[in-house]
Amino acid sequence: MNGGHALIVALDQRKAFGMVDHRVLFKGMACFGFSPDGVKLIKLIYEGYHINIKINGELSDILSIGRGVRQVFPLSASLYIVYLQIFLNILTGDSPHAVRGICLPGDNQIKVSTYADNLVLFCNDEYDVQKCFSFFNKIAAITGSQLNRDKTEILNLPATRLKVEYHQYLCKEVNICGIIFSDGAYNVMSRINVSSKLENIEKKLDKLK
């Protein structure tokens, strides 16, 4: 890693599928090379969508829906990935908001890892962290897509200088797709992720004998 500096920032998007901004989604689809007919088809499904809300037996005025993808719709997951990828390209590209990431052995570099609405950023220092939060604050102001602050975590590996405002997110370990990363030694993580699981498997196999 770069001089031993590394911060893992685990982010969770609040009501992720429900906060997809349609305008951004349609523009993103066009930029990613979706055919005009393909974009038009998705627009037919989501544009002009209105609802009424019943409150104490009375219907509200008609409200236009400009956000959200239907979770029962087969393409919703794919549309959400397209939407998220727009922001990931900014965070990992050449924009002023891009994080530097972490350099790994062999001249490899890692900046981001995603699984559904769980987003993990690998930051080099506190300035990367600041860029990350600043960027998503701007996204929230523009699209309404917000982070779930209660589920946001920062793992400092090893202790790297970090602004006080982010200390509330510091934790001892984070779970990334079932793999536990901690601020402990390698043998501690090996114990958590490998040894303990093998022991559980052996115990279950012994019961079958």
Side-chain angles (χ1 to χ4, degrees), residues 9 21 29 39 48 70 82-83 86 89 95 115 118 120 133 135 169 175:
V9 183
D21 187 287
M29 291 177 68
V39 177
R70 305 171 189 177
V82 171
Y83 181 72
I86 298 168
N89 286 356
S95 78
Y115 182 75
N118 294 306
V120 179
F133 280 91
F135 174 72
Y169 304 116
N175 187 324

Side-chain angles (χ1 to χ4, degrees), residues 34-55:
F34 282 75
S35 70
D37 287 341
V39 177
K40 187 181 296 185
L41 178 61
I42 300 300
K43 282 185 176 182
L44 284 173
I45 297 172
Y46 286 104
E47 282 191 334
Y49 187 51
H50 303 87
I51 63 169
N52 295 91
I53 299 176
K54 197 170 189 178
I55 304 174

Side-chain angles (χ1 to χ4, degrees), residues 52-61 63:
N52 295 91
I53 299 176
K54 197 170 189 178
I55 304 174
N56 296 327
E58 298 291 332
L59 286 176
S60 70
D61 294 333
L63 303 174

